[in-house]
Amino acid sequence: MPLRLRKFIGMILLVLLVVIYAIVAMIVAVRTLGDQPGWVHFLYFLFSGMIWVLPAMGIIKWMAGPRPQ
């Protein structure tokens, strides 16, 4: 697969990942954190704000293509 096409597909996947992840994280927060104290909200958003990086790293590595040998 050409590198330009791989990067284009990866860009679309990254945008979809961020949008879908943000919506899911928001729905989970609204349904579960309503009565919780502020520190629980802080921890939830701290961890949920960092977790999306893991799948994004996989997409970015795929976009870069195989390592030259």
Side-chain angles (χ1 to χ4, degrees), residues 25-45:
M26 182 179 55
I27 290 171
V28 169
V30 167
R31 291 184 181 212
T32 61
L33 298 178
D35 314 3
Q36 303 299 320
W39 64 271
V40 175
H41 287 248
F42 175 76
L43 289 177
Y44 172 77
F45 285 109

Side-chain angles (χ1 to χ4, degrees), residues 1 13 20 22-23 28-31 36-37 40 43-44 48 51 53-54 56 58 62-63 65-66 69:
M1 178 181 300
L13 289 174
I20 292 170
I23 291 171
V28 169
V30 167
R31 291 184 181 212
Q36 303 299 320
V40 175
L43 289 177
Y44 172 77
S48 66
I51 290 175
V53 173
L54 297 174
W62 176 80
M63 286 170 56
Q69 305 227 351

Side-chain angles (χ1 to χ4, degrees), residues 12-27 52:
I12 291 172
L13 289 174
L14 282 172
V15 170
L16 286 174
L17 170 72
V18 170
V19 170
I20 292 170
Y21 185 81
I23 291 171
V24 169
M26 182 179 55
I27 290 171
W52 70 273

